[in-house]
Structures are given as C-alpha cells and as structure tokens.
Amino acid sequence: MKTIFIIIGILGWISLFISLYLYKKITKNRNQILGSKNTEKEGPKVVVIGGGTGQSIFLRGLKHYTQNITAIVTVADDGGGSGVLREDLGMLPPGDIRNCLLALANIEPTMNEVMQYRFTDGNLKGQSFGNLFIAAMNGLYGNFETAVYKMSEVFAITGRVLPVTLEDVNLIAKLKNGNIIKGESRIPVEVRSQKSNIDKLTLDPMDVTPLEEVITSIYNADIIVMGPGSLYTSIIPNLLVKGVVKAIKKSNAPKVYISNIMTQPGETGNYNVLDHVNAINKHTNKELIDYVIVNNEILPEDVFEKYKKDGAEQVLLDELQNKELDDMGIKIIEDNLVEVKKNYIRHDAKHIADIIVNLALSHNYDNDK
C-alpha cells in the first residue's frame, strides 16, 4: 500500500514537470524537426506487430527509411515495473509502449536517458521513469490511448504507437504436459521449471477487441511485419486479439515474419525457423506469412558463448525447412542480419529496415503495373 502512495505522489510532480518544462522544450524541438521536412509523410506504410526489445530495436532502424510507421504493441505484460503499475494503478502495462515511443522519438539524447532511467533503491527500485511518465499521462487524461497519443506528440515520434487493445488482458499458456500457466511473466519460468514446451496460448478474456486504429492501419498498410521479438510473449498475443488476424489476412500488403537470431529458453528452446512459422500458423488457424526473413551468418563460438550457457542456440534454416516453407508458399529472404553491441546479439535494424522498405516498394510497383 505504501508503494502506491509513493507512486501517486511521484506521478503528481511528473504531471507538473510535463506542464512546465517538457511540453514546451520538446514541442520546440518537434517543430524544428518537422519544419525542415515536407509536412506530408513520406515512405511506404509499414505496420510492425510485436513487443519487447526486438520490436523497439527494429523501429530505431526503420524510422530512417520511412515516416509512415505504425507499431502495434502487446499489452499482456504483467512482470517487472510494468506489472507493478498495472496492479497498483489498474492501468495497462506501459513498458513495451515506452520502448517503442522512445525508439521512434525525436528528442535530445539526455532526455532519452532520463526516460529509460531505473530507480535503484527504495520502493521504486527497478521502476522506469518512462513508465511513471506514461502513468502520469494516463492519470492526467484519464485514458491510456490518449496518454500514448499525447506522449507521442510531446516526443515528436516518427509514426504511431498503438496498444493492440485497451482492455485488461492476461496471457494463458497450456503446456505440452497439460498444465495451465496464467501470466506472461510466469510462462517462461514454468516452461523451464517443468521442462515442458508451450502447446497453445489463449487470452483471458478471450473476446477482447482491438483498438479501431489497429485494424485500420493493417488494412491501409503497404507491408505488415511480425517481429522480431519473443514468439509466444510478444508476437502471438497480438494475433489472438479478436479481428487482428482477419484484418491481416484480408489486407493486400505482403505479410513478413522476421525470425529471431537465437532461440529463447523458456519459449522456443530447440526451435528452428519452420517451428516458429508453424507456431504462428497454429495460433491463427491460417497460413498467414508470405515472406520470412532469416539470418544466415554462422556466429563464432566466442560471440554467443554466454547465450549457449543459458541454453540458447542459433535459429537457422536447412534444406528440409526450405522445402517445407516453399511448399507452404512462403518466400525466404536470407542475409547476414547480425549486429553485436556490447556483447549482445541483435538484429541489424537498418539492414532489415532496408529489406522491408524495398519489399514494400517493389510490391506496390508490381501492383501498379
């Protein structure tokens, strides 16, 4: 109870901070940025569906190639600082939304660092200042959608960030041993503890409705991208929201899945590329993917030694997978997609963004012929 009073008190002065300082300073920065550009947004309309670190990293690269970006973000997170705010304040989890907003933001580096700052002591230990900022906006405007929109304005983001739904939703996993696990944060832990992989995911409640702009953006997209990101806790939860898969299937845009570089212990242990695709198809009851983008660089042992200790392996294609994906009508784009920063293996966001944008442009050209 003490924690919630501390949070509420901090949210009060963050709201004042917004009014007196941030809005004026960052709006001025926004006007300078937009004033130097054509007011009409440029580039193909790219919809990116996912959540987590993978999505935000990709968005940082994508904003250099197009201004027409819509990030659709899962809101099933119930762990960490987001989980605390979700439980204490009854709001949607802000963590993945925050990361996407900052990835697309046009703000000073110092302010970006402030938004990502995590408290190290006291009742707020582990809590992100950016999460509290969104919570303040949510309290100020009384609506999470409006809070995200206003924060997008303040940060002069390139494109839009949309929660997939505004409803309170939890992720439920049925493991292959038959056990049921409730809660996004518990699923990877229990998979490893019980040594049983995920069989099927559902949402609780099952009939949550998407944000209207989510469906509209999918229909209007030039290309729809799923990933990169955690298969079961970032990508698939979006596809379980009522109407999302139907909209994707009806869209004329090419549908692309960006495969992870490494397996994720607790989610996709021992998975190859085909396993990832099959998991998406299983949860959507449709063959949803037109293209899969795959890394083909074999990493040296010393680069991912620490990943191997945790049980992670590279996600690679072989001839059998190639044939099966081809039989499913899925085109494969293979390339060296790896970027290593501070000993972390990541996707080369700009390289993948270049592939995505060129794919969208070539598809539009073919349709116009």
Side-chain angles (χ1 to χ4, degrees), residues 43-293:
K45 296 183 284 292
V46 182
V47 169
V48 183
I49 299 173
T53 304
Q55 185 181 29
S56 58
I57 288 173
F58 174 51
L59 292 175
R60 288 183 189 278
L62 185 61
K63 72 178 182 181
H64 295 284
Y65 291 84
T66 178
Q67 296 176 55
N68 286 313
I69 301 170
T70 301
I72 297 173
V73 187
T74 179
V75 289
D77 185 11
D78 65 352
S82 288
V84 170
L85 292 175
R86 179 177 180 174
E87 183 177 350
D88 284 353
L89 301 179
M91 65 180 288
L92 291 176
D96 288 348
I97 296 285
R98 178 201 78 232
N99 285 331
C100 289
L101 286 169
L102 292 177
L104 295 174
N106 293 291
I107 58 176
E108 298 168 357
T110 300
M111 187 54 62
N112 186 74
E113 291 177 10
V114 169
M115 289 296 119
Q116 294 287 30
Y117 174 78
R118 289 190 181 274
F119 294 89
T120 56
D121 298 296
N123 288 300
L124 292 177
K125 184 176 180 179
Q127 188 60 261
S128 160
F129 183 86
N131 283 356
L132 296 178
F133 192 100
I134 296 177
M137 286 288 205
N138 187 61
L140 197 62
Y141 295 102
N143 179 279
F144 192 79
E145 180 185 2
T146 304
V148 173
Y149 174 75
K150 291 292 185 180
M151 194 164 175
S152 300
E153 281 192 325
V154 170
F155 286 174
I157 75 165
T158 300
R160 297 185 301 170
V161 176
L162 302 175
V164 67
T165 181
L166 294 178
E167 298 180 43
D168 184 35
V169 63
N170 286 291
L171 195 59
I172 309 291
K174 178 185 176 185
L175 305 188
K176 291 192 174 178
N177 63 10
N179 289 339
I180 305 297
I181 311 300
K182 182 175 181 178
E184 179 267 347
S185 61
R186 289 188 59 224
I187 292 170
V189 175
E190 292 299 324
V191 166
R192 301 188 76 175
S193 174
Q194 298 185 33
K195 297 181 180 178
S196 180
N197 288 337
I198 297 167
D199 179 39
K200 195 73 183 286
L201 293 178
T202 54
L203 297 179
D204 179 28
M206 296 181 67
D207 60 348
V208 294
T209 55
L211 203 63
E212 186 177 340
E213 287 87 346
V214 165
I215 301 302
T216 303
S217 67
I218 290 171
Y219 281 140
N220 294 332
D222 291 317
I223 192 164
I224 298 166
V225 182
M226 290 164 273
S230 300
L231 179 66
Y232 287 110
T233 53
S234 292
I235 298 171
I236 290 177
N238 292 290
L239 305 178
L240 298 178
V241 174
K242 185 178 180 181
V244 170
V245 168
K246 182 179 178 181
I248 293 172
K249 195 67 179 175
K250 288 182 68 175
S251 171
N252 292 322
K255 294 87 177 173
V256 182
Y257 171 60
I258 302 175
S259 177
N260 288 337
I261 297 169
M262 307 291 292
T263 60
Q264 188 171 354
E267 288 202 34
T268 55
N270 299 316
Y271 272 37
N272 58 29
V273 176
L274 181 63
D275 292 327
H276 284 74
V277 171
N278 283 337
I280 291 173
N281 288 342
K282 178 177 181 177
H283 284 84
T284 60
N285 295 317
K286 295 180 184 295
E287 293 186 352
L288 205 62
I289 300 166
D290 298 319
Y291 294 86
V292 60
I293 296 178

